[in-house]
Amino acid sequence: GSPSEAPIQLTDVLFLGHSASDGGGGVYAVGGVVDCTRCSFDHTSAGIGGGAILALGGTLVVEASLFCGVIGSSSNPGGAIYGQDAVVSIRSSRFVESAGMGDGGAIRAESGGDWTIANNSFLGDGGVAALHLVALEDAIVDATNNLFYDSDGYAIMLAEPATLTYNWFDGNLSG
């Protein structure tokens, strides 16, 4: 589909098997506000990145949502969520076996913006890292109370400073 700049409120929505040749297998947002509460993204995929959600600018809020078997592309990362120049809050959500064939098996944050990633579970995500934070000049990144378990790559890959508080890491592999 084409990108949307209008505010989007998604509550209790199931995205099952959706795919996009561009980014955002479920949601492709440019600017505006996108709020996903208690949504499920099940086996969605995208050709460019953000197998479930692609957010370019604007504000993205994800609460109590499930991302299962979501796949980004082989050339562009962000298996479940790819955000660029956006204000993003991801809370109380689960990422299970998501894969960004490049960096960011579950999430890739790129360029500016403020990122809050709290109380989430990352289970069995693939790619170079479950959470990949890169090129975040002047961004504020706060990852608190997350579980990173059994990822095929690094749990977190940082190219810029970030605040990591009370996160738990177990069974993650790299190399």
Side-chain angles (χ1 to χ4, degrees):
S2 61
S4 170
E5 289 191 32
I8 299 171
Q9 173 68 48
L10 301 167
T11 303
D12 298 320
V13 176
L14 169 63
F15 294 87
L16 179 60
H18 291 192
S19 66
S21 58
D22 290 334
V27 175
Y28 184 164
V30 177
V33 177
V34 176
D35 186 332
C36 296
T37 302
R38 295 184 313 272
C39 293
S40 291
F41 296 86
D42 190 347
H43 291 85
T44 58
S45 63
I48 291 182
I53 300 172
L54 176 70
L56 303 175
T59 300
L60 172 64
V61 177
V62 176
E63 295 273 345
S65 293
L66 173 64
F67 299 84
C68 183
V70 177
I71 300 175
S73 77
S74 59
S75 60
N76 290 302
I81 297 173
Y82 178 90
Q84 186 175 44
D85 296 316
V87 175
V88 178
S89 173
I90 303 168
R91 296 178 181 275
S92 303
S93 295
R94 294 184 64 196
F95 296 84
V96 181
E97 296 181 359
S98 294
M101 301 312 201
D103 302 333
I107 299 171
R108 178 167 168 120
E110 191 171 314
S111 298
D114 295 336
W115 288 75
T116 300
I117 302 164
N119 303 314
N120 301 291
S121 297
F122 298 87
L123 309 169
D125 297 308
V128 174
L131 175 60
H132 192 192
L133 308 169
V134 296
L136 296 170
E137 301 89 11
D138 301 320
I140 298 171
V141 178
D142 181 13
T144 304
N145 286 341
N146 297 291
L147 164 65
F148 296 91
Y149 181 76
D150 203 23
S151 294
D152 290 338
Y154 298 105
I156 299 176
M157 178 179 273
L158 302 171
E160 301 292 333
T163 301
L164 304 174
T165 309
Y166 301 115
N167 294 286
W168 188 60
F169 304 91
D170 188 23
N172 300 291
L173 305 173
S174 66

